[in-house]
Amino acid sequence: MNPETYSLEDYLTDQSFQKWAKGTASIAEHNFWNDFYENHPEKHELIRQAKVSVLSLSRTESQVDQATIELSWKTVEARIDESSKKPIQLRRWMAYAAMIVAVASALFFFKSEKVTYVRYSAGYGQTSKVNLSDGTLITLNANSSVKVAAQWEDGPREVWLESGEAFFEVSKTKDKQPFYVYSDGVQVKVLGTEFNVNRRSDDTRVMLREGKVQVSHVNVHTTLVPGEMAIVNPRSAHINVTSVDVSKYDSWLRNKIIFENTSLKEVSKIIEAHYGVTTYLDEALMNREISGELPNGNLELLLNAIEIIHDLNITYKGDRVTIHEKISQSN
Amino acid sequence: MDTNLHIDEDFSEDKDHWTRLLKKEKAALAYFFRKYYSLLFNYGLKICRDERLVEDTIQDVFVKIWNTRNLPEVTNPKSYVLIIFKNALLDKLKEAKKLGSGTFTFDHDTESIQEKIIEDESMRAVRTQIDIGLDLLPARQREILYLRFYNDLDYQEIADVLGINYQSVRNSIHESMKKLRKTIVLGSIILVQYLF
């Protein structure tokens, strides 16, 4: 078939085109489609539409974390060794030793004051979930980490948000052990509830979805009701509380990113924090705004959407994103 | 231009490891286990939502591969592992009578674990147009789209896994795209409204 006579569906069905759109094409394919695009200005609109469509259909599914896979592999390995009935004593011992090494290297343990902590983190462009022993679920947004004691004794349950953003669904325990989240000097005290903590900017933002929490900083305390967000600047003794649209602040849990009259300046900050790229944005474009909802975790799609909406020229190479006004040539 | 050049390194790495697996190198089995665990797990959850059962099945499959005396020399280990896994999972489900007549209901609407937590019905309304469009497709077409666009399997691999031919896969995608035409274009461009 000839791409010159392709309909939208034809482009979308062409595997080579799909790969080009996603940026996973071989060099030959890449050159072919680039040349084709260059030489067919009358097809530009159709091709761009097809490209964005491929991107919006494509998703990267969440990866099972390494530690889980390693533990699961140890089970397989043990079953294999069992069935081959070789001398067991030493092999068993080796399997357990390997298991300990695997877990330790995957989770990174460290010790202080006799307490062992585990750090959980999510890399750029991905979220990850942490199940704590008490049934509490923490969802980490991209480029975020928390620290938790490896074992909880009778005392309070404590979690440190070391960077980024996390959503907590705290389970109640029988003896109503308190649960604390610490973020840059800010303390959040909880009793069975759902809330979001974000320390990406200079301040810490605590958004409560359900239940009740108390936010404290230095000597100031405030209690939030669902739908409220506390904004705490570490250098001030004041806590700001505002009512917010909850679905906007927990949209990342549903793998959505929502913009509402968001300036491109803010958008580029968000991109940098989530995907670990450096953005260059023309001064003149900083106050342009976008609104809408996109799947999270797909930087290409987001950039494509901005490019089309504001008719800009966006390049994304290595870890550099450049956003410029389009210099019209062909039009 | 729809030829599949398939000279990626990834592919030859898989073939190398398969050869080593035929020589009973356990490290090669571990390689496939680590590499395809997430793929199998996610795919499994599309068939049944029991995470425990899916994990058990993955383990069984790898033990079984290891214990198979005459493993075939496959051209594409990825599809081979997927096929064995899918069959094993369907067998288990039949055994557990979780699946009536042995028909395969491919469930697009697997709420991810994050979504499961959100019990608020109104949240469902927030799902993008694309998801709604996908829901309207027949299960088989949805499965094919899923394997192509979520799991990055190529048409030949999809054909292998589903036991149909290459052209059928291509036709199915083409037909899905036709049906989705409105929603994907709207979903990808118009959903992002803009205000200057």
Side-chain angles (χ1 to χ4, degrees), chain A residues 11 20 35 49 77 80 103 106 114 131-132 140 152-153 173 178 198 201 230 236 243 272 282 302:
Chain A
Y11 283 114
W20 178 70
D35 289 348
Q49 237 177 38
E77 210 176 16
I80 288 171
V103 172
K114 289 181 198 160
N131 267 308
L132 301 181
L140 289 171
W152 272 328
E153 307 296 334
T173 53
N198 180 340
S201 42
S236 100
S243 288
E272 289 185 348
D282 277 355
L302 174 58

Side-chain angles (χ1 to χ4, degrees), chain B residues 18 22 49 57 78 92 111 140 145 150 158 168 174 179 183 193:
Chain B
W18 194 262
L22 294 176
R49 297 192 184 177
T57 310
K78 182 159 113 190
K92 277 201 179 184
E111 298 147 61
R140 181 42 77 94
L145 279 185
Y150 287 38
I158 297 171
S168 307
H174 198 265
K179 289 186 189 159
T183 38
Q193 313 122 17

Side-chain angles (χ1 to χ4, degrees), chain A residues 83-307:
Chain A
S83 63
S84 57
K85 284 176 191 162
K86 296 242 168 92
I88 3 158
Q89 218 57 29
L90 185 63
R91 295 179 136 254
R92 272 271 167 79
W93 180 84
M94 273 160 52
Y96 287 125
M99 175 150 69
I100 291 161
V101 172
V103 172
S105 59
L107 296 182
F108 183 71
F109 279 82
F110 47 102
K111 265 186 180 255
S112 81
E113 293 165 15
K114 289 181 198 160
V115 185
T116 308
Y117 292 99
V118 187
R119 176 179 295 137
Y120 299 95
S121 30
Y124 289 121
Q126 54 179 237
T127 58
S128 87
K129 287 179 286 275
V130 182
N131 267 308
L132 301 181
S133 54
D134 64 332
T136 293
L137 182 72
I138 305 176
T139 310
L140 289 171
N141 204 344
N143 182 24
S144 305
S145 68
V146 291
K147 182 178 93 171
V148 187
Q151 253 177 337
W152 272 328
E153 307 296 334
D154 297 331
R157 303 171 284 168
E158 295 177 305
V159 175
W160 286 262
L161 177 64
E162 296 191 313
S163 64
E165 180 169 20
F167 192 87
F168 297 84
E169 283 146 277
V170 177
S171 64
K172 283 182 185 154
T173 53
K174 270 184 199 152
D175 45 358
K176 296 203 169 165
Q177 268 173 288
F179 189 103
Y180 294 97
V181 177
Y182 301 99
S183 164
D184 201 14
V186 179
Q187 183 201 64
V188 185
K189 185 184 177 185
V190 190
L191 266 168
T193 189
E194 300 175 4
F195 62 101
N196 193 63
V197 182
N198 180 340
R199 57 170 292 186
R200 287 203 197 279
S201 42
D202 296 336
D203 43 30
T204 285
R205 289 156 186 256
V206 182
M207 192 281 298
L208 179 67
R209 189 165 80 187
E210 202 183 296
K212 197 174 172 185
V213 296
Q214 186 189 55
V215 180
S216 310
H217 181 236
V218 199
N219 291 322
V220 189
H221 310 282
T222 188
T223 306
L224 296 182
V225 299
E228 282 187 335
M229 182 165 80
I231 303 169
V232 195
N233 185 312
R235 281 170 304 282
S236 100
H238 186 69
I239 300 177
N240 263 317
V241 177
T242 49
S243 288
V244 294
D245 174 6
V246 173
S247 67
K248 196 178 153 192
Y249 290 89
D250 67 3
S251 63
W252 64 271
L253 291 172
R254 299 182 297 281
N255 278 321
K256 300 270 160 61
I257 185 157
I258 298 181
F259 296 115
E260 214 180 276
N261 302 347
T262 312
S263 69
L264 290 188
K265 193 181 169 188
E266 279 175 77
V267 172
S268 41
K269 271 194 189 165
I270 294 171
I271 293 174
E272 289 185 348
H274 279 70
Y275 299 100
V277 294
T278 316
T279 57
Y280 298 89
L281 176 66
D282 277 355
E283 190 90 35
L285 299 175
M286 290 197 171
N287 295 321
R288 295 263 189 105
E289 290 176 343
I290 65 166
S291 296
E293 175 183 320
L294 285 166
N296 209 353
N298 193 335
L299 180 55
E300 290 246 8
L301 175 61
L302 174 58
L303 295 176
N304 258 286
I306 299 172
E307 196 170 47

Side-chain angles (χ1 to χ4, degrees), chain A residues 10 13 18 70 169 291, chain B residues 34 117 146 148 155 174 193:
Chain A
D10 294 333
T13 307
Q18 293 161 1
E70 286 312 316
E169 283 146 277
S291 296
Chain B
R34 293 187 180 113
I117 306 149
Y146 169 79
R148 177 69 191 129
Y155 291 173
H174 198 265
Q193 313 122 17

Side-chain angles (χ1 to χ4, degrees), chain A residues 8-10 12-16 18-19 22 26 29 32-33 49 52-54 56-59 61-64 69-70 72-73 75-77 79-81 83 127 129 137 139 169 209 253-256 261 288-289 291-294 309-310, chain B residues 1-5 26 29-30 33-34 37-38 41-42 46 55 59-60 62-63 66-67 113-114 117-118 123 126-128 130-131 146 148-152 154-155 166 170 173-174 177-178 181 184-185 188-189 191-196:
Chain A
L8 179 69
E9 293 84 30
D10 294 333
L12 294 174
T13 307
D14 189 318
Q15 290 201 87
S16 159
Q18 293 161 1
K19 282 195 264 175
K22 287 204 280 184
S26 67
E29 290 170 317
F32 173 87
W33 287 107
Q49 237 177 38
V52 174
S53 301
V54 169
S56 63
L57 268 172
S58 309
R59 300 195 191 167
E61 290 208 288
S62 56
Q63 297 291 304
V64 178
I69 298 178
E70 286 312 316
S72 191
W73 167 248
T75 312
V76 172
E77 210 176 16
R79 281 172 63 186
I80 288 171
D81 292 347
S83 63
T127 58
K129 287 179 286 275
L137 182 72
T139 310
E169 283 146 277
R209 189 165 80 187
L253 291 172
R254 299 182 297 281
N255 278 321
K256 300 270 160 61
N261 302 347
R288 295 263 189 105
E289 290 176 343
S291 296
E293 175 183 320
L294 285 166
I309 289 162
H310 286 290
Chain B
M1 194 49 214
D2 207 62
T3 50
N4 206 345
L5 294 171
K26 198 156 69 180
L29 188 72
F33 188 86
R34 293 187 180 113
Y37 191 94
S38 288
F41 189 73
N42 287 324
K46 296 273 167 192
E55 190 187 349
Q59 293 175 353
D60 290 350
F62 279 84
V63 172
W66 183 255
N67 290 334
I113 293 152
Q114 294 120 312
I117 306 149
I118 299 157
M123 296 296 178
V126 187
R127 289 200 309 180
T128 61
I130 291 171
D131 286 341
Y146 169 79
R148 177 69 191 129
F149 288 97
Y150 287 38
N151 290 327
D152 210 22
D154 64 36
Y155 291 173
Y166 182 96
R170 213 180 174 284
I173 297 257
H174 198 265
M177 291 302 183
K178 239 183 201 161
R181 186 185 176 113
I184 42 183
V185 175
S188 50
I189 298 169
L191 250 188
V192 191
Q193 313 122 17
Y194 54 96
L195 300 157
F196 285 70

